[in-house]
Amino acid sequence: MSNKNFDPASEIQDILVFGEFGGVNPSITDSATYTFLHAKTMSETFEGKTEGCYLYSRHWNPSAKNLSNALAKMEGTEAAWVTGSGMAAITCTLLQLCNSGDHIIAAMTIYGGTFAFLKNYLPKFNIDVTFVDTTNEEKVKAAIKPNTKVIYTETLNNPLLQVADIKKLALIADKNNIKLVVDNTFTPMIISPKKLGAHIVVYSMTKFINGTNDCVAGAICASEEFINALISVNDGTAMLLGPVLDPLRASSILKNMHTLHIRMQQHSKNAMYLAENLEKEKVDVKYPGLKSHKDNGLMTKMMDKSMGYGGMIAINLVTQAKAQQFMELMQDEKVGYLAVSLGFYKTLFSCPGSSTSSEVPEELQKEMGMSEGMVRFSVGLDHDIERTFKRIMLCYKKVMK
Ligand SMILES: *Cc1c(COP(=O)(O)O)cnc(C)c1O
């Protein structure tokens, strides 16, 4: 048995049906609907009784299926389903798991869109949410109610890069008959939440998995039973809300997955270089790969060490004015782009307090330990990271003098 989590070079071949014309990439199935030779097969397909038959592309499409198979292989889940955005993956998963009157325990440091959905949108359906620090297991245990159906967390949170102990959370979930849902957007191939006990893994593929910032997409990796329920023609949330991924996009994302491991390693290597050197210069930097980060030991236990600690770092500039000046200078110096999102070949930076986490109220931001001057970096694939470091320091010194 290999100790590597996933190797696209051998494992993608295992799960694809080769293109009809012998191409090394599978043919793109550019169809909304599919023919049946026999009327009986159509009715059996509607009842979910056939294997390998396609009915309609809101349900399954062969190109989406190829990408889903690759993702399931990567995560070690039985199945997966791809969506038109990360938010679609998250919202469909939660709406599938919860009925009116149910309760969710969610991490308080989560992606702003997810936070807004849980806090502002779910009350419409009488679904109650308690936000807790999921890195503290006692707080999670104390929040459990008889109607709790889901514990929701991100592997690495945004922007503080604290690490959730997936194994411990999974034990708590299992004991109480609760599903543990993990958003692993920041750490594909680095951490495999399913292998640590999570029940469902969700992704925004917009970020590292696709890696080219040319589309928005998401994925749900779970058991065959959950995915089938999600796309049931009678009552499946994904089938009925319909946030499908276009087959042309699905096939381009699959091609980008061929290099995911190499990209993750380079993002990690560059982020580690920056974090170590910034720390040497006495910059207040957060990176889980640093010994000074409180979750360094936990992350080291959970990760595939060949992949590194990921591409995200955060630097504290103390005030928002300084953070903004710093980011504008860095863009002028060609360090990267002042933009939200992550996982691109160029370094991207933003100030979460006023952008991606602006949905999180200010008092809660304080409680989470977020500073208004925090600048989050998604470190790029730079070949000359030494030069990038020098440029960052130049900007930092100008602002913090
Ligand atoms: C971007 C992001 C999302 C939302 O994904 P979209 O593809 O933008 O819908 C969810 N979770 C995390 C951690 C993200 O970074």
Side-chain angles (χ1 to χ4, degrees):
M1 253 312 259
S2 163
N3 63 353
K4 297 280 191 305
N5 272 334
F6 172 65
D7 181 359
S10 63
E11 279 157 301
I12 285 182
Q13 187 175 345
D14 290 346
I15 52 181
L16 297 186
V17 177
F18 279 122
E20 300 87 315
F21 305 107
V24 293
N25 288 305
S27 304
I28 300 168
T29 306
D30 196 18
S31 290
T33 192
Y34 304 84
T35 59
F36 288 87
L37 294 180
H38 303 289
K40 189 163 161 281
T41 323
M42 181 188 269
S43 54
E44 284 170 358
T45 302
F46 254 101
E47 290 159 20
K49 288 183 187 154
T50 55
E51 276 279 317
C53 286
Y54 292 91
L55 182 67
Y56 186 62
S57 277
R58 176 156 38 79
H59 183 247
W60 267 128
N61 164 287
S63 299
K65 184 86 179 163
N66 283 333
L67 177 59
S68 299
N69 285 347
L71 290 160
K73 194 90 178 173
M74 177 174 91
E75 280 316 297
T77 54
E78 286 170 6
W81 200 73
V82 292
T83 55
S85 72
M87 283 310 296
I90 294 163
T91 56
C92 285
T93 297
L94 293 175
L95 290 172
Q96 182 69 23
L97 290 170
C98 295
N99 292 320
S100 174
D102 285 342
H103 174 243
I104 296 173
I105 296 171
M108 59 185 184
T109 45
I110 45 174
Y111 178 71
T114 311
F115 182 82
F117 174 73
L118 293 167
K119 178 138 199 312
N120 306 330
Y121 200 90
L122 283 183
K124 272 211 232 203
F125 300 103
N126 190 30
I127 297 169
D128 184 29
V129 184
T130 306
F131 293 96
V132 302
D133 175 0
T134 46
T135 63
N136 181 332
E137 65 181 301
E138 293 312 316
K139 293 219 163 125
V140 175
K141 280 186 197 157
I144 296 174
K145 300 181 188 182
N147 58 341
T148 305
K149 291 289 154 63
V150 174
I151 297 174
Y152 184 92
T153 192
E154 291 171 5
T155 316
L156 216 62
N157 74 22
N158 180 25
L160 299 171
L161 308 171
Q162 291 161 337
V163 182
D165 192 330
I166 309 288
K167 257 191 189 159
K168 278 195 182 148
L169 291 174
L171 281 175
I172 298 171
D174 283 336
K175 221 182 221 168
N176 294 278
N177 203 20
I178 295 170
K179 296 283 183 237
L180 175 62
V181 180
V182 178
D183 179 338
N184 198 44
T185 299
F186 282 20
T187 46
M189 295 191 72
I190 295 177
I191 290 174
S192 300
K194 164 63 173 53
K195 292 174 188 165
L196 297 167
H199 301 100
I200 299 170
V201 184
V202 289
Y203 277 106
S204 167
M205 294 201 289
T206 313
K207 318 294 169 52
F208 290 106
I209 291 183
N210 186 45
T212 41
N213 252 290
D214 49 1
C215 73
V216 173
I220 303 165
C221 303
S223 66
E224 191 99 44
E225 186 191 354
F226 183 76
I227 299 297
N228 285 341
L230 196 68
I231 57 171
S232 154
V233 293
N234 295 313
D235 58 5
T237 308
M239 183 64 183
L240 300 178
L241 298 185
V244 290
L245 182 61
D246 183 85
L248 296 174
R249 272 306 172 198
S251 68
S252 77
I253 296 171
L254 179 62
K255 282 177 275 189
N256 285 352
M257 268 186 80
H258 299 167
T259 55
L260 179 60
H261 57 305
I262 300 169
R263 288 186 283 113
M264 293 314 292
Q265 285 167 340
Q266 185 72 13
H267 285 299
S268 291
K269 190 174 148 213
N270 284 347
M272 184 63 120
Y273 180 89
L274 291 183
E276 282 180 342
N277 284 283
L278 287 163
E279 192 169 56
K280 271 186 209 146
E281 297 282 346
K282 310 260 182 298
V283 175
D284 180 3
V285 54
K286 301 248 182 302
Y287 183 62
L290 291 174
K291 291 270 182 302
S292 60
H293 190 284
K294 76 168 178 58
D295 296 329
N296 176 254
L298 175 61
M299 176 124 178
T300 307
K301 262 198 307 199
M302 286 169 47
M303 68 194 266
D304 174 344
K305 287 174 196 65
S306 69
M307 302 306 300
Y309 291 85
M312 305 302 293
I313 67 173
I315 299 183
N316 187 4
L317 277 283
V318 189
T319 70
Q320 199 171 81
K322 285 201 162 83
Q324 286 172 347
Q325 195 195 349
F326 180 54
M327 292 191 295
E328 286 170 12
L329 279 172
M330 285 196 298
Q331 185 158 253
D332 292 342
E333 287 293 331
K334 300 190 173 57
V335 169
Y337 297 131
L338 203 181
V340 296
S341 201
L342 41 128
F344 199 38
Y345 82 106
K346 288 277 285 187
T347 295
L348 303 179
F349 35 82
S350 59
C351 182
S354 51
S355 62
T356 49
S357 299
S358 59
E359 296 92 335
V360 182
E362 219 171 293
E363 309 109 64
L364 204 54
Q365 289 193 19
K366 285 226 175 78
E367 195 186 326
M368 284 158 39
M370 253 173 76
S371 149
E372 57 159 347
M374 197 70 94
V375 174
R376 179 190 81 178
F377 287 69
S378 164
V379 179
L381 300 173
D382 310 35
H383 185 42
D384 189 350
I385 195 69
E386 293 85 355
R387 180 175 60 187
T388 306
F389 169 69
K390 285 186 191 124
R391 288 173 173 175
I392 294 172
M393 278 316 297
L394 189 78
C395 302
Y396 183 84
K397 283 182 178 150
K398 266 192 199 158
V399 176
M400 299 299 277
K401 66 173 183 287

